[in-house]
Amino acid sequence: MIIPTIPTPEEVLDKGFGRAKKAANKVRTSKIPRHQKSKKIEEARIQTACDVIKESFTAILEKVPKVEDMHMFYQDYIDVVVGVDQLKKSLGALNWAVELISKLEGKYLFKVKRTSPENASRVRSEAFGRISSVVYRIEDELNFLDFAKAKLRNMPSIDFDATTAVIAGFPNVGKSTLLRQITSAEPKVADYPFTTTGIQIGHFEKRWQHYQIIDTPGLLDRPINEMNEIELNAMVALEHLADVIIFIFDASETSGYPLDSQFRLFEEIKQVFKTPIFSVFNKMDLVKDVEYINEEYINGYINRLEAPLMVAASEGKGVSEIITKLEEFNNEKKIRSRADV
Ligand SMILES: Nc1nc2c(ncn2[C@@H]2O[C@H](COP(=O)(O)OP(=O)(O)OP(=O)(O)O)[C@@H](O)[C@H]2O)c(=O)[nH]1
Ligand SMILES: [Mg+2]
């Protein structure tokens, strides 16, 4: 999401009061009769300062896209990353400042008109004091918007027309490795959990059909209300983007998580999202090295699943079978949607 540059209160006021000074100089050198000048100068200063400051805020308000008009994925994404309520509250504060400054502008321009030429500068100084305090009142909100700008700068750009598979599973099971194998995306791969903290997207095309593969952060088998921001990013992608979920098990358990826990997460995801799931047993190359993980042990899990695929993602083994399965899924999806029409 593109949030424009957010100024500090000092920057807003410097700009407003600086431009006001220039406007005053213009009046000072103009041909207005001398006895009217001091009032005209102060009027120009108040008017210009207010206009410039209001414009700083309205420009931001106009540029920030409306969250409620965005796709639900982005709404939830923004909510997880910065909080939609807090974002709206901050924009609301900018609006509040604009309205209050408009009121002060009217009030003090009227005061200058009614006061004596000698008193005009004192009235203007009072106006500037009030304006400054309004701008400082929204300092926290400006800080928050600046933080939101940085956090939302790299919001993932989703292709909502492509057939989308979301890769999910425990941390460290090889999700990003698989994304690298299927697409030309290059997410970071490392031998520790939570390497991936955001959403990574890769694309590929097969028979004129566009596929989008989304790699997500690892999930643990714990309730949603105990999940951290990293895990919630994965949940948001699963909820709003997945036509199909590719659930990766680490069959070797070398990532440190027992198959039992991984299976519980699988069941949970299946229940919560009601989206078709492919189950994939990864790191099969390591299975033979682990003493107790024998055929019988793995079969205990495999028998409970619908035709899981056996792969070794880091070696590229079994990856083409995943792609074929995606193609088949896509063809069925097309047939189903034709039947719906
Ligand atoms: N031996 C073997 N190692 C693998 C395989 N797939 C992935 N790995 C390794 O497992 C580790 C984790 O891989 P990642 O792709 O980063 O795992 P991830 O699921 O994306 O991890 P997070 O992003 O932390 O959730 C890396 O050291 C990979 O090289 C495989 O099939 N066989
Ligand atoms: Mg990863």
Side-chain angles (χ1 to χ4, degrees):
M1 177 153 88
I2 308 295
I3 296 180
T5 306
I6 306 293
T8 62
E10 290 81 4
E11 285 165 346
V12 175
L13 293 170
D14 280 355
K15 187 170 166 199
F17 295 159
R19 293 268 289 276
K21 205 169 176 183
K22 279 191 196 141
N25 285 338
K26 237 181 172 171
V27 178
R28 209 168 270 130
T29 54
S30 68
K31 289 196 183 103
I32 298 171
R34 183 176 277 272
H35 67 281
Q36 283 180 9
K37 251 190 190 167
S38 66
K39 284 171 72 159
K40 289 279 177 222
I41 286 171
E42 303 309 341
E43 266 173 30
R45 284 179 80 175
I46 292 171
Q47 178 113 49
T48 306
C50 289
D51 287 351
V52 170
I53 293 167
K54 283 190 295 183
E55 173 58 25
S56 302
F57 295 148
T58 46
I60 295 170
L61 289 167
E62 277 163 17
K63 278 187 200 138
V64 176
K66 285 224 168 357
V67 176
E68 54 270 33
D69 294 343
M70 296 177 149
H71 188 281
M72 272 315 289
F73 164 74
Y74 286 122
Q75 296 198 25
D76 277 358
Y77 179 89
I78 293 168
D79 205 26
V80 166
V81 175
V82 299
V84 166
D85 285 348
Q86 183 64 31
L87 184 63
K88 285 190 177 158
K89 187 176 152 266
S90 300
L91 294 169
L94 259 59
N95 235 324
W96 168 86
V98 169
E99 279 168 24
L100 201 53
I101 290 170
S102 277
K103 282 195 187 132
L104 291 173
E105 182 178 3
K107 178 177 160 182
Y108 281 95
L109 285 175
F110 185 67
K111 266 191 158 180
V112 170
K113 271 201 179 68
R114 299 232 319 215
T115 198
S116 64
E118 298 75 42
N119 204 33
S121 119
R122 206 192 51 76
V123 172
R124 191 266 310 150
S125 156
E126 189 183 315
F128 276 18
R130 297 278 307 269
I131 293 165
S132 301
S133 76
V134 170
V135 174
Y136 275 105
R137 276 276 290 282
I138 61 166
E139 184 167 19
D140 286 350
E141 284 80 5
L142 291 171
N143 282 338
F144 173 80
L145 287 171
D146 194 47
F147 154 83
K149 175 188 165 66
K151 287 277 267 189
L152 298 175
R153 196 190 330 249
N154 296 322
M155 218 156 79
S157 62
I158 307 291
D159 176 354
F160 291 101
D161 297 324
T163 293
T164 301
V166 178
I167 306 176
F170 256 71
N172 216 8
V173 297
K175 299 180 296 300
S176 301
T177 305
L178 183 65
L179 178 69
R180 277 173 169 265
Q181 290 284 355
I182 301 183
T183 73
S184 54
E186 295 187 339
K188 193 169 163 198
V189 165
D191 189 18
Y192 50 80
F194 293 112
T195 305
T196 306
T197 55
I199 283 158
Q200 313 274 349
I201 304 176
H203 302 269
F204 75 92
E205 222 162 290
K206 201 92 195 261
R207 287 183 237 275
W208 304 284
Q209 173 62 46
H210 200 111
Y211 295 85
Q212 177 174 242
I213 312 293
I214 299 186
D215 172 28
T216 62
L219 290 165
L220 301 172
D221 61 330
R222 58 182 178 184
I224 291 189
N225 57 9
E226 286 172 24
M227 288 182 178
N228 58 25
E229 182 189 323
I230 296 176
E231 294 171 271
L232 287 173
N233 274 327
M235 297 300 274
V236 169
L238 286 165
E239 177 166 7
H240 297 297
L241 304 178
D243 292 313
V244 58
I245 297 169
I246 302 179
F247 189 93
I248 313 282
F249 290 90
D250 172 2
S252 73
E253 297 186 351
T254 51
S255 56
Y257 305 103
L259 271 168
D260 242 5
S261 316
Q262 297 183 55
F263 202 81
R264 268 201 302 277
L265 175 67
F266 172 82
E267 287 292 341
E268 178 83 17
I269 298 245
K270 202 167 118 184
Q271 273 243 324
V272 171
F273 296 111
K274 305 200 167 26
T275 304
I277 303 196
F278 299 165
S279 36
V280 171
F281 277 61
N282 188 33
K283 305 201 190 180
M284 287 304 285
D285 56 307
L286 295 179
V287 162
K288 58 182 183 317
D289 305 337
V290 185
E291 209 181 328
Y292 67 91
I293 301 188
N294 47 36
E295 210 172 306
E296 196 186 345
Y297 182 80
I298 297 218
N299 279 342
Y301 293 97
I302 289 176
N303 292 338
R304 293 193 256 165
L305 298 164
E306 254 175 67
L309 294 172
M310 304 295 154
V311 314
S314 57
E315 297 174 1
K317 283 213 183 94
V319 172
S320 64
E321 281 82 348
I322 297 178
I323 295 175
T324 306
K325 218 166 158 165
L326 274 173
E327 276 191 280
E328 284 166 10
F329 169 82
N330 184 60
N331 292 337
E332 282 166 26
K333 189 178 113 192
K334 268 202 213 139
I335 293 165
R336 268 197 311 276
S337 67
R338 265 190 225 123
D340 285 346
V341 175

